[in-house]
Amino acid sequence: MPAFPKAAHDAVNNPTLRGNLRHATHTIRDKRAAAVAELDDWAQLREAGKQIKDHTLRHLDRYLVQLEESVTAAGGTVHWAADADEANRIVADLVKATGETEVVKVKSMATQEIGLNEALEAEGIAAYETDLAELIVQLGKDRPSHILVPAIHRNRGEIRDIFAREMSEWGRAAPVGLTDNPADLADAARLHLRDKFLRAKVGVSGANFMVAETGTLVVVESEGNGRMCLTLPETLISVVGIEKVVPTWRDLEVFLQTLPRSSTAERMNPYTSMWTGTSEDDGPSDFHLVLLDNGRTDTLADEVGRQALRCIRCSACLNVCPVYERAGGHAYGSVYPGPIGAILSPQLRGTQSEVDASLPYASSLCGACYDVCPVAIDIPEVLVHLRERIAQGGPVTREGNKAVLKPAKGHAAERAAMRAARWAFGRPGALRAGQRLASRTRKLHPRTLPGPGKAWSATRDLPPVPAEPFRDWWQRTDGGKKSDGDKKTDGVRKTDGVTKDGK
Amino acid sequence: MSSRDRILGRVRRALADVPPDDTSYEQAVDRSYLRVHGDLDVEQTVDLLAENLADYRAIVRRCTEDELARTIAAMLAARGAATVLAPPGLDPAWLSATDVVQVPDRADSTPHDLDRIDSVVTACAVAIAETGTIVLDAGPGQGRRRVTLVPDHHICVVRVPDQVVSSLPEALERLDPTRPSTWISGPSATSDIELDRVEGVHGPRTLEVVLVSDPPGVAA
Ligand code: SF4
């Protein structure tokens, strides 16, 4: 896997990809702002979401044990997986115990993260993705590029070609003379997948939320493929990251309001399924929950970085990120692209690899991701923290053990930073947003650059960051014609996302 | 050591820097967000439900209790349905005016059996006006989760105003977490191909919601 700057460079030079991405991110971004503006209490919902998640993380052991008890009492079986290999082995063994050789899958980041499909394939089990976008990705022997719309890098013509060429390999062939009309393409997928749903005996899913108090799992989706996989098979296996637990049933009232609006910009997504263990004669008679660590407890051990575990995977931060928009999801080299990927992947996987070490630099620090995040993750803060960790070294936790990370060798990190800087300076819009952030956090700025810039600033004096970016001052005062007023800028961060008047 | 103990041990060590905190959960979270958005009376709330359902391309009809059987019969006829699934506990009066063949929901029917059924008529547990959502919880007249999924046409009857709430928090309070639930906001949809919205990839492509008022005429 090439490091971010190289991978991004390739994407930036692919005009089709950039066109598709730009259209997608801007469309979703604008719709999201409108959906969020409908709720007068967005700021309060966002704060409550943050507090619920922080409280849960702070007492994660307690809530996991409670969840286990609730799920077990409701007729489910709970398994614990410390890493990807263990999770894959548990799932493979459960599938084998049913005697089946194929499973239908609901789109899930956790199972992508652990490479479940490949692991099952190695055991002779075929895993069929059933989300339309995931189907496109799977048939195209491709990788997802966006959390919400994984095939967003493909246009309708490419999708038509993939369907016409590949569907027969996997099951029901595409109809002859298939056009590139989205409705026809969706129809071809419907027929192809219906065959699989109706005969499936084992379903595999993730979950958006797990309620400790009741043992309820929640899956939020649009197409109904989730409902098919969650209710038609006899056995259901859900692989879920331990950070997805929330304490109470009532907590869902916060996230079911913020997630759809942040994600697809809808008041509510078309389908949400909730189930608690097993129910007689309704849905799978056998339910297994695999609780996945795979680097999450290591992330939890980092005081600054642990806030990344609040993420509810809405993908809003991807759609506002100027770097994601140009680089595309594949450049991030992980299933978590965009700003959240830039802070989550290096924490889940460690920073040994070149791509993971370069990810914290895949940002202009403009702060737009923080502004839209429905659980108020301060992504820029974590990015700066991780840069510092990579460049200067320091304490980290890997697989539960404390270790000290050595400073990055050579100049790899520095080069990455300089490339990112060059990128930002070539783009006034991004630079301007970056300056805003710099102003807002001015008090915290060191006189030497943290991280990879240290060597550079060691021999130079850093200019102090002005209290307000020049452009903002110019605009506010109409080029100095109006009074300067008493604008407060020091250390002021917006505490809410987009509110009704767009402030 | 089991993985369970390993993970719980890692969690505890990871949190070693966090000062102990005995704040109760009730106090730990500031719930100053609104319980309901806007200040609508009962009739306006029902109107909002109808509007939001339609916005997500559900077909919404309104009628009174005594018009219901005829309304449903007309919908099935317009659809050209040959068979309709009736879940246990569905008020038999609802299907009393149609001559479409009624199929009972049986535990041993296979997904393939369901796939051959044209339409399904169900009740609901609660409907949420602010989001245009109907919630089914497998209660009487709602059937197993799969019956509203496999057939291509779903008619859902909502009693107004008593089954309508304004907001999501109000809906959660009415639901029992031990029952499986399905929340439906418009028909199945995808925007995966160039963000073009296409209805019905997997679930029913047509969702018709009947808002039935009793006594006659109140919200009609
Ligand atoms: S970091 Fe925030 S904005 Fe980004 S996907 Fe996660 S919850 Fe959404």
Side-chain angles (χ1 to χ4, degrees), chain B residues 83-107:
Chain B
T83 48
V84 58
L85 188 132
L90 192 83
D91 187 342
W94 293 5
L95 291 174
S96 58
T98 182
D99 46 16
V100 171
V101 177
Q102 293 176 35
V103 185
D105 170 27
R106 293 199 331 262

Side-chain angles (χ1 to χ4, degrees), chain A residues 424-476:
Chain A
F425 288 117
R427 287 158 184 81
L431 176 64
R432 176 159 170 250
Q435 285 175 337
R436 284 229 175 93
L437 179 87
S439 296
R440 281 189 247 137
T441 57
R442 186 167 67 122
K443 275 199 179 144
L444 309 169
H445 282 207
R447 294 307 300 263
T448 52
L449 284 175
K454 199 177 178 199
W456 182 78
S457 61
T459 54
R460 296 161 178 85
D461 268 342
L462 273 189
V465 176
E468 186 180 12
F470 175 75
R471 287 158 203 263
D472 283 11
W473 172 84
W474 181 272
Q475 236 176 22
R476 183 169 56 81

Side-chain angles (χ1 to χ4, degrees), chain A residues 108-128:
Chain A
S108 122
M109 308 292 302
T111 57
Q112 278 170 22
E113 174 191 322
I114 60 174
L116 179 67
N117 292 8
E118 295 74 19
L120 289 178
E121 197 186 323
E123 303 272 349
I125 298 162
Y128 298 118

Side-chain angles (χ1 to χ4, degrees), chain A residues 311-317 340 373-375 377 379:
Chain A
C311 177
I312 56 172
R313 313 275 189 263
C314 72
S315 75
C317 57
I340 182 62
C373 179
V375 285
I377 299 173
I379 296 177

Side-chain angles (χ1 to χ4, degrees), chain B residues 67-145:
Chain B
E67 292 163 344
L68 182 59
R70 266 181 294 130
T71 304
I72 292 176
M75 287 156 77
L76 290 170
R79 175 86 184 176
T83 48
V84 58
L85 188 132
L90 192 83
D91 187 342
W94 293 5
L95 291 174
S96 58
T98 182
D99 46 16
V100 171
V101 177
Q102 293 176 35
V103 185
D105 170 27
R106 293 199 331 262
D108 61 352
S109 61
T110 66
H112 281 101
D113 296 338
L114 288 174
D115 197 30
R116 281 189 286 272
I117 291 166
D118 296 320
S119 303
V120 55
V121 176
T122 72
C124 76
V126 64
I128 308 168
E130 283 181 13
T131 59
T133 305
I134 49 177
V135 185
L136 275 60
D137 71 353
Q142 298 168 50
R144 285 165 255 268
R145 280 172 281 173

Side-chain angles (χ1 to χ4, degrees), chain A residues 281-480:
Chain A
D281 288 340
D282 187 354
S285 50
D286 208 10
F287 168 58
H288 296 270
L289 171 61
V290 182
L291 292 174
L292 178 72
D293 179 344
N294 204 36
R296 285 161 177 75
T297 50
D298 292 342
T299 308
L300 188 65
D302 188 300
E303 275 173 66
V304 179
R306 63 169 63 121
Q307 58 184 305
L309 297 175
R310 293 205 293 260
C311 177
I312 56 172
R313 313 275 189 263
C314 72
S315 75
C317 57
L318 277 62
N319 299 324
V320 296
C321 178
V323 177
Y324 174 85
E325 182 189 318
R326 289 168 178 82
H330 290 157
Y332 294 80
S334 93
V335 296
Y336 303 107
I340 182 62
I343 60 168
L344 196 56
S345 303
Q347 295 201 82
L348 292 178
R349 305 193 295 206
T351 51
Q352 296 89 333
S353 78
E354 212 191 321
V355 65
D356 285 317
S358 71
L359 283 178
Y361 299 96
S363 163
S364 63
L365 296 183
C366 74
C369 48
Y370 170 73
D371 288 344
V372 296
C373 179
V375 285
I377 299 173
D378 194 337
I379 296 177
E381 182 190 17
V382 183
L383 284 166
V384 171
H385 169 73
L386 292 176
R387 289 180 186 188
E388 196 177 309
R389 184 62 77 249
I390 289 164
Q392 299 185 334
V396 289
T397 305
R398 296 311 306 158
E399 294 179 17
N401 299 314
K402 297 227 180 305
V404 177
L405 190 73
K406 289 204 200 92
K409 276 224 183 71
H411 301 284
E414 191 176 339
R415 268 206 309 277
M418 288 304 136
R419 251 180 256 191
R422 210 179 311 139
W423 177 88
F425 288 117
R427 287 158 184 81
L431 176 64
R432 176 159 170 250
Q435 285 175 337
R436 284 229 175 93
L437 179 87
S439 296
R440 281 189 247 137
T441 57
R442 186 167 67 122
K443 275 199 179 144
L444 309 169
H445 282 207
R447 294 307 300 263
T448 52
L449 284 175
K454 199 177 178 199
W456 182 78
S457 61
T459 54
R460 296 161 178 85
D461 268 342
L462 273 189
V465 176
E468 186 180 12
F470 175 75
R471 287 158 203 263
D472 283 11
W473 172 84
W474 181 272
Q475 236 176 22
R476 183 169 56 81
T477 61
D478 198 8

